[in-house]
């Protein structure tokens, strides 16, 4: 009998070592190595060669349009690219209590599937799920519930029942009794995900798996987990806020730029059809440091409010804080204000926030950030009916942005009267019919924009 060998695996990144180490050399995390036993390889004819395998010319391959299931929630379908593709493997990650199980249970009730849906939970009993289903008014007669953690049972049940959709909640609770590692370890997660991928592709079953996230916000387990699946979705939001954002970071069947916005209520998650009105609904009039900007998430234009608070510092080192925006980008834009406009901000603390808990990384919001900081610094409010669009460069110029027509149409629909845009977008804007309903002002640099706004 072959001797079993043990090795140590980092539970954060999957790095393997023959001995225990306190700090992982790959991800620099401490105390993440766990001992796992390596099973001896069976002696078989691994060198056998299949002689009938031949490559196929790319022009001779026939393709069919992928079959999709509509989830019954437009925001979810938008993020997935039009629905759940048959035979795909989808990974949904998010903080504990953010609403992942609630979202998937609502999908089970609204999805356009006439045959079976199998919901497998490894964290709750079927009675606990039933209590939540009653609260959400889930009454789908095609929904089958199961509380199980053994992967062999799940595999056999998938082959016998042949459902159209399987939901695994969560992947960290599943285990394969052929592996000596504990549930949730790197080896178990990797092997079970590989098995679920085989089930999805061979039986043509769509599978959604729920994954826990670490304190840094990344999905727990090895990075190979995200590479194996077809789609990776993140469910984001603050637990004390009612709004949730569903974002795709990987999608083999659609765009990764789309987002879906939901509101958590006592009846579950409710879709937000008009996020611009929602994000601007509680905006206060004539307050310095508040501006409206037009951002674009995929194909959806949204108007959001950016707030800034600039106040004198009591210490030698001023404090900078950004919520929903890149901290380094805020520091860069404040340096542009100091050098190109002459604002002495080195003795002032600065706090910048995106209202609603959204995370924005688009450079088209630069002009809004600059205007919010300058408005708070000079204590002069920006006109409530003005929306700002533009990217700011290091020399202080305001650069053109993409899809300016969609942004302006959204501003007109919401009811804004003025719009400050880069001069580089003038040619596209003058061809729009909606230009008669809004006063567009063109600027070439930050100083011109601040002269108009303040």
């Amino acid at each position: 009998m072959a001797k079993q060998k043990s090795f140590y695996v980092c539970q954060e990144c999957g790095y393997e070592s023959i001995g225990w180490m306190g700090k992982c050399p790959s991800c620099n995390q401490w105390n993440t190595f766990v001992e796992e036993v390596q099973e001896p390889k069976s002696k078989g004819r691994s060198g056998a060669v299949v002689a009938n395998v031949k490559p196929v010319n790319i022009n001779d391959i026939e393709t069919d349009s992928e079959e999709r299931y509509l989830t019954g929630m437009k925001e979810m379908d938008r993020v997935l690219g039009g629905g759940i593709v048959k035979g795909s493997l989808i990974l949904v990650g998010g903080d504990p209590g953010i609403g992942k199980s609630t979202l998937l249970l609502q999908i089970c009730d609204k999805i356009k599937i006439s045959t079976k849906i199998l919901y497998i939970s490894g964290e709750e009993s079927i009675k606990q799920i039933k209590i939540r289903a009653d609260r959400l008014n889930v009454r789908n007669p095609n929904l089958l519930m199961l509380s199980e953690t053994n992967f062999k049972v799940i595999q056999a049940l998938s082959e016998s029942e042949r459902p159209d959709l399987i939901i695994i909640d969560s992947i960290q609770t599943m285990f394969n009794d052929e592996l000596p590692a504990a549930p949730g370890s790197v080896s178990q997660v990797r092997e079970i995900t590989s098995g679920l991928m085989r089930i999805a592709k061979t039986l043509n079953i769509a599978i959604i798996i729920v994954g826990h996230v670490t304190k840094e916000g990344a999905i727990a387990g090895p990075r190979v987990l995200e590479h194996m699946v077809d789609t990776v979705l993140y469910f984001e939001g603050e637990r004390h806020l009612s709004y949730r954002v569903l974002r795709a970071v990987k999608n083999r069947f659609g765009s990764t730029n789309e987002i879906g916005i939901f509101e958590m209520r006592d009846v579950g998650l409710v879709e937000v059809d008009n996020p611009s009105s929602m994000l601007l609904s509680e905006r206060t009039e004539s307050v310095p440091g508040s501006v409206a900007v037009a951002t674009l998430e995929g194909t959806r234009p949204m108007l959001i409010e950016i707030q800034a608070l600039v106040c004198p510092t009591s210490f030698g080192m001023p404090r900078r804080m950004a919520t929903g925006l890149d901290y380094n980008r805020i520091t860069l834009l404040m340096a542009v204000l100091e050098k190109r406009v002459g604002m002495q901000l080195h003795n002032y603390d600065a706090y910048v926030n995106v209202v609603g808990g959204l995370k924005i990384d688009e450079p088209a919001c630069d002009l809004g950030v600059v205007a919010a900081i300058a408005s708070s610094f000079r204590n002069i409010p920006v006109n409530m009916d003005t929306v700002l669009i533009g990217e700011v460069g290091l020399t202080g110029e305001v650069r053109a942005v993409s899809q300016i027509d969609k942004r302006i149409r959204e501003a007109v629909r919401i009811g804004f009267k003025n719009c400050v845009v880069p001069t580089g977008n003038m040619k596209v804007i003058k061809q729009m019919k909606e230009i008669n309903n809004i006063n567009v002002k063109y600027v070439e640099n930050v100083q011109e924009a601040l002269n108009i706004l303040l």
Side-chain angles (χ1 to χ4, degrees):
M1 183 177 178
K3 183 180 179 181
Q4 290 184 341
K5 296 181 180 180
S6 63
F7 58 99
Y8 293 84
V9 181
C10 174
Q11 301 303 298
E12 291 290 336
C13 65
Y15 181 85
E16 297 181 2
S17 173
I18 58 174
W20 185 86
M21 290 187 291
K23 182 180 180 181
C24 177
S26 177
C27 62
N28 297 323
Q29 297 295 320
W30 289 89
N31 299 324
T32 58
F33 279 90
V34 174
E35 183 180 11
E36 296 186 7
V37 178
Q38 182 180 11
E39 291 292 329
K41 295 182 179 180
S42 60
K43 295 181 180 180
R45 295 185 300 171
S46 59
V49 178
V50 180
N52 295 327
V53 177
K54 294 181 180 180
V56 182
N57 189 298
I58 189 172
N59 297 319
D60 297 335
I61 302 175
E62 297 181 358
T63 59
D64 298 325
S65 58
E66 64 272 4
E67 183 179 352
R68 294 178 181 265
Y69 302 129
L70 295 178
T71 63
M73 305 180 77
K74 295 181 180 179
E75 297 296 304
M76 184 74 174
D77 292 334
R78 178 199 298 271
V79 177
L80 291 173
I84 300 175
V85 177
K86 194 173 183 179
S88 63
L89 184 60
I90 302 171
L91 174 63
V92 180
D95 295 330
I98 203 69
K100 302 184 297 296
S101 300
T102 300
L103 175 64
L104 296 179
L105 200 57
Q106 289 184 243
I107 290 175
C108 291
D109 186 54
K110 299 179 180 180
I111 194 168
K112 307 303 181 182
I113 295 179
S114 58
T115 56
K116 300 175 185 177
I117 303 171
L118 184 58
Y119 190 105
I120 303 172
S121 176
E123 300 178 344
E124 298 176 294
S125 66
I126 56 176
K127 291 185 179 180
Q128 290 175 314
I129 302 174
K130 175 61 177 175
I131 294 174
R132 186 191 302 121
D134 291 339
R135 178 173 58 87
L136 301 176
N137 196 25
V138 176
R139 296 287 188 270
N140 191 347
N142 299 320
L143 178 59
L144 304 178
M145 309 300 301
L146 178 68
S147 180
E148 183 59 60
T149 58
N150 193 332
F151 175 70
K152 292 296 183 181
V153 177
I154 297 173
Q155 186 177 21
L157 196 61
S158 302
E159 296 175 354
S160 61
E161 294 290 339
R162 292 295 182 96
D164 283 336
L165 176 64
I166 298 177
I167 297 177
I168 307 293
D169 187 8
S170 67
I171 188 65
Q172 277 81 13
T173 60
M174 303 298 159
F175 75 94
N176 190 339
D177 52 10
E178 294 181 358
L179 297 177
S185 62
V186 171
S187 299
Q188 289 281 6
V189 171
R190 183 172 54 219
E191 184 64 25
I192 293 174
T193 304
S194 178
L196 292 173
M197 176 62 77
R198 288 192 297 269
I199 294 174
K201 302 307 178 183
T202 57
L203 302 180
N204 204 21
I205 299 174
I207 300 178
I208 302 177
I209 58 178
V210 177
H212 295 164
V213 296
T214 61
K215 59 183 179 181
E216 288 82 15
I219 294 179
R223 289 301 288 186
V224 71
L225 176 62
E226 298 187 24
H227 299 309
M228 294 170 66
V229 301
D230 296 315
T231 304
V232 180
L233 305 179
Y234 275 93
F235 206 38
E236 305 170 350
E238 300 292 337
R239 296 187 63 180
H240 57 275
L241 296 177
S242 60
Y243 298 111
R244 306 285 189 266
V245 177
L246 183 67
R247 189 186 306 271
V249 297
K250 175 186 177 182
N251 192 354
R252 289 175 178 165
F253 310 107
S255 173
T256 57
N257 297 322
E258 301 288 351
I259 66 169
I261 301 180
F262 300 86
E263 182 180 2
M264 180 64 79
R265 298 180 183 174
D266 54 350
V267 294
L269 290 164
V270 179
E271 299 175 82
V272 178
D273 297 327
N274 191 357
S276 298
S277 299
M278 176 266 294
L279 295 171
L280 297 175
S281 59
E282 299 182 13
R283 193 178 176 200
T284 307
E285 188 175 357
S286 300
V287 175
S290 173
V291 300
V293 299
T295 184
L296 205 66
E297 291 288 348
T299 59
R300 163 186 281 180
M302 290 195 306
L303 299 183
I304 61 174
E305 180 185 1
I306 295 180
Q307 296 179 343
L309 178 63
V310 179
C311 53
T313 182
S314 302
F315 306 97
M317 181 69 68
R319 187 177 185 184
R320 311 281 190 251
M321 181 177 293
T323 303
L325 293 164
D326 184 15
Y327 170 82
N328 295 324
R329 191 71 179 173
I330 300 300
T331 305
L332 182 148
L333 294 175
M334 293 186 66
V336 172
L337 282 174
E338 288 193 2
K339 182 69 175 179
R340 305 301 176 188
V341 184
M343 291 187 179
Q344 301 301 319
L345 300 171
H346 56 275
N347 291 327
Y348 288 82
D349 294 333
Y351 308 91
V352 184
N353 174 48
V354 177
V355 176
L358 295 180
K359 295 181 181 179
I360 305 299
D361 56 1
E362 192 190 20
C365 298
D366 289 350
L367 186 59
V369 174
V370 168
I373 295 174
S375 172
S376 179
F377 177 75
R378 294 183 177 177
N379 202 29
I380 301 175
V382 177
N383 190 344
M384 284 279 294
D385 294 330
T386 302
V387 62
L388 309 179
I389 308 170
E391 177 185 356
V392 177
L394 291 179
T395 59
E397 81 278 12
V398 180
R399 307 176 68 89
V401 299
S402 62
Q403 303 186 56
I404 188 70
D405 52 341
K406 290 185 177 180
R407 305 173 196 265
I408 294 181
R409 288 191 183 99
E410 181 71 7
V412 172
R413 188 180 69 84
I414 297 301
F416 282 86
K417 304 299 183 183
N418 306 299
C419 183
V420 179
V421 299
T423 305
N425 290 119
M426 181 185 298
K427 183 178 180 181
V428 177
I429 296 175
K430 288 188 174 181
Q431 297 176 354
M432 297 175 54
K433 297 180 181 179
E434 292 83 0
I435 193 174
N436 297 325
N437 300 324
I438 191 170
N439 181 22
V440 180
K441 298 181 180 180
Y442 303 96
V443 294
E444 294 185 355
N445 53 60
V446 174
Q447 185 65 65
E448 288 184 19
L450 296 183
N451 291 338
I452 294 174
L453 298 170
L454 306 180

